[in-house]
């Protein structure tokens, strides 16, 4: 078992650490929570706390950028009401 820092849910439940089996050349972590087997793949888990925290920050900044893009699109929306003709 290896300590794995899971960042898959960083923006919802937050990052967490688990004891996991690392397989597929280090690209998959398998772990149990409440009796259920879970998996994290490639960039959803890290083997060091520093790397995990850096990934959480990357995810946070990407989400902020996405929200800003969505906000800009909403602010630029213009509405007009058109009249539909009945057949």
């Amino acid at each position: 078992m290896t300590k794995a820092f899971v960042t898959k849910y960083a923006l919802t439940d937050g990052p967490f650490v688990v004891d996991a089996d690392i397989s597929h050349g280090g690209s998959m972590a398998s772990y149990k929570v409440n009796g259920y087997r879970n998996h994290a793949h490639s960039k959803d888990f890290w083997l060091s706390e520093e790397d995990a925290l850096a990934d959480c920050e990357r995810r946070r900044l990407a989400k902020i950028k996405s929200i800003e893009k969505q906000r800009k699109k909403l602010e630029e929306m213009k509405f007009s009401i058109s009249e539909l003709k009945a057949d």
Side-chain angles (χ1 to χ4, degrees):
M1 293 295 231
T2 303
K3 189 178 279 196
F5 298 86
V6 180
T7 59
K8 183 176 184 176
Y9 308 104
L11 300 180
T12 53
D13 296 331
F16 54 90
V17 63
V18 293
D19 287 324
D21 291 320
I22 308 300
S23 60
H24 298 347
S27 67
M28 187 170 91
S30 301
Y31 58 94
K32 280 189 178 180
V33 174
N34 297 328
Y36 294 97
R37 174 124 340 251
N38 294 283
H39 301 87
H41 299 274
S42 61
K43 301 298 181 189
D44 289 335
F45 76 96
W46 305 89
L47 300 179
S48 76
E49 185 174 354
E50 295 79 21
D51 289 342
L53 290 173
D55 183 56
C56 291
E57 184 65 14
R58 180 196 59 76
R59 290 172 185 262
R60 185 182 72 84
L61 293 174
K63 184 67 172 184
I64 289 170
K65 184 177 179 181
S66 172
I67 290 170
E68 285 297 324
K69 184 177 176 182
Q70 184 179 15
R71 179 178 169 238
K72 182 179 178 188
K73 183 178 176 181
L74 287 169
E75 286 177 344
E76 291 173 353
M77 274 186 177
K78 303 291 182 220
F79 297 99
S80 64
I81 298 176
S82 58
E83 188 173 323
L84 296 178
K85 296 185 181 193
D87 289 335

